[in-house]
Amino acid sequence: MKTTQSCEFQDSTLCGYIQDDTDDFEWTVLSGATPTNKTGPTVDVSYGTDYGKYIYTEATGQAVGDKARILTPSFIPDPGVPEVCWKFEYHMYGADTGSLSVKVYGQSTDLWSKTSNQGDTWFTGFVTVNNTTPYQLVFEATIGGDASDIAIDDVNYRAGSCPLPGECDFDDDTCDWRQLQDDDFDWTRFTGSTPSYYTGPSRDHTTGSGYYMYTEASAPRVFGEKAALTSPIITPASNQCFTFWYHMLGNNTGDLSVYVLNAPEGVFEYGIRNVRWSLKGQQSVNGTDWKFAQIGIAEAQPFQVTLKNPNIDISKLNSYPILICLQEELYV
């Protein structure tokens, strides 16, 4: 596969990305906040500081409907490996936000698209491309008004299809599950036994030697504090089954709750969370006793899943578009 493996847009060549000269205006490299108030990111994804750069479309001065397109370098699939998962970070914040789409250059069908304000945060996008011949991806931003700056960062790829939204075993990273900002402390990605005696797992569920997410209940934590971890935005199917493995060991174990966050207006930071599943107290009998849970979800609008608790461990999350929740359909 001959193209730049990963691009953070830090160098002047933009990793060989090319501005499309048939559009209305160009993508711009920037660090720090965009010039227009209440739109665009304040920092990049890679570094989270003014040193880090990203590319974005400045909406001020453009007409509604104007488009900016930027192309990846030509990508040459390896023989016998036509399927590739492209991953990128995107930021769509502003009251007038238009749309962002990804397609193969020369094709009219969008492989991925988002429209309207997604909130002041970076999200991860995935695009699976199955092509045996060289191609370029196109990132196209469409202006919705002055408050509609759109940004992308950290574009990379790997062989194989992309994961389903929300699917994660935490062995490589957190798969775009994010810490909420309105809770008391954060979940921790960990491997092996947790630091506290007589509580927590001794290994993860997936492989026995991988990672999981857990909440450390020892000081400075106090009774009643909560940590919340939320999924990426999930597009609804006819019915979906959210499944996970949890570990609850310890005399003072609190509760684990699963919420579904609905955002009828498309702005998730103002959405409403509804409890769909909850469990309290010790459930596991030893460090390897992971328990399986499944929750049927039938939403008409895009949604997020949030796990909130004071001292629970989770491993191997999935959100499957299937008709009914059955463990044997998910894990074989």
Side-chain angles (χ1 to χ4, degrees):
M1 297 178 182
K2 299 178 177 64
T3 189
T4 303
Q5 174 71 28
S6 178
C7 188
E8 298 176 349
F9 302 105
Q10 289 295 113
D11 65 271
S12 59
T13 67
L14 299 185
C15 315
Y17 280 57
I18 303 166
Q19 304 276 4
D20 186 352
D21 58 8
T22 66
D23 56 7
D24 301 304
F25 67 112
E26 293 189 345
W27 288 76
T28 303
V29 183
L30 191 69
S31 60
T34 61
T36 309
N37 191 32
K38 295 185 179 180
T39 186
T42 54
V43 291
D44 78 320
V45 174
S46 312
Y47 302 93
T49 68
D50 286 345
Y51 169 77
K53 297 178 181 178
Y54 55 88
I55 60 173
Y56 87 108
T57 52
E58 175 54 58
T60 303
Q62 299 300 141
V64 174
D66 278 357
K67 300 181 184 298
R69 290 185 288 269
I70 193 165
L71 286 64
T72 67
S74 181
F75 182 86
I76 305 174
D78 283 343
V81 190
E83 196 167 58
V84 174
C85 175
W86 289 82
K87 177 183 177 182
F88 57 96
E89 303 296 315
Y90 66 95
H91 193 284
M92 300 175 66
Y93 170 57
D96 304 323
T97 299
S99 64
L100 175 66
S101 64
V102 182
K103 66 184 70 179
V104 171
Y105 183 64
Q107 298 182 7
S108 58
T109 303
D110 291 340
L111 299 175
W112 179 98
S113 65
K114 289 286 180 183
T115 302
S116 74
N117 185 5
Q118 303 296 314
D120 188 10
T121 188
W122 287 95
F123 292 101
T124 302
F126 292 97
V127 173
T128 299
V129 181
N130 197 324
N131 239 21
T132 57
T133 58
Y135 63 88
Q136 293 172 278
L137 284 188
V138 183
F139 290 88
E140 178 183 86
T142 302
I143 296 298
D146 285 348
S148 64
D149 294 349
I150 294 173
I152 62 171
D153 198 7
D154 285 14
V155 183
N156 57 66
Y157 67 87
R158 63 169 176 79
S161 60
C162 296
L164 294 169
E167 182 178 357
C168 194
D169 62 12
F170 304 108
D171 282 351
D172 296 321
D173 51 36
T174 58
C175 315
D176 203 34
W177 281 78
R178 304 291 178 96
Q179 312 280 358
L180 286 190
Q181 302 302 309
D182 59 354
D183 55 4
D184 303 304
F185 66 109
D186 287 341
W187 290 71
T188 301
R189 181 171 167 267
F190 204 73
T191 185
S193 298
T194 58
S196 303
Y197 287 112
Y198 306 115
T199 186
S202 56
R203 63 187 187 187
D204 81 316
H205 171 267
T206 313
T207 65
S209 59
Y211 285 78
Y212 56 89
M213 298 294 289
Y214 92 106
T215 50
E216 177 54 60
S218 301
R221 305 276 65 86
V222 297
F223 178 80
E225 286 189 329
K226 300 183 186 300
L229 190 69
T230 193
S231 74
I233 296 171
I234 300 172
T235 301
S238 56
N239 282 288
Q240 283 178 299
C241 182
F242 175 68
T243 73
F244 60 99
W245 292 86
Y246 64 93
H247 190 277
M248 301 171 69
L249 176 65
N251 292 332
N252 298 319
T253 299
D255 62 280
L256 172 63
S257 297
V258 179
Y259 296 74
V260 172
L261 173 62
N262 297 283
E265 303 301 321
V267 184
F268 278 82
E269 60 184 318
Y270 303 126
I272 300 172
R273 298 188 184 99
N274 298 303
V275 178
R276 296 297 175 86
W277 183 96
S278 187
L279 195 62
K280 185 175 183 178
Q282 178 169 298
Q283 306 295 321
S284 304
V285 298
N286 57 45
T288 62
D289 187 21
W290 288 90
K291 304 294 187 180
F292 178 79
Q294 53 189 1
I295 307 166
I297 299 175
E299 298 294 327
Q301 301 293 329
F303 62 93
Q304 289 178 290
V305 176
T306 299
L307 297 117
K308 183 177 288 189
N309 72 291
N311 56 345
I312 310 298
D313 316 288
I314 57 173
S315 180
K316 203 169 185 179
L317 302 162
N318 289 283
S319 179
Y320 283 85
I322 61 176
L323 295 178
I324 54 176
C325 294
L326 292 176
Q327 179 175 352
E328 56 267 29
E329 288 190 62
L330 306 181
Y331 300 97
V332 294

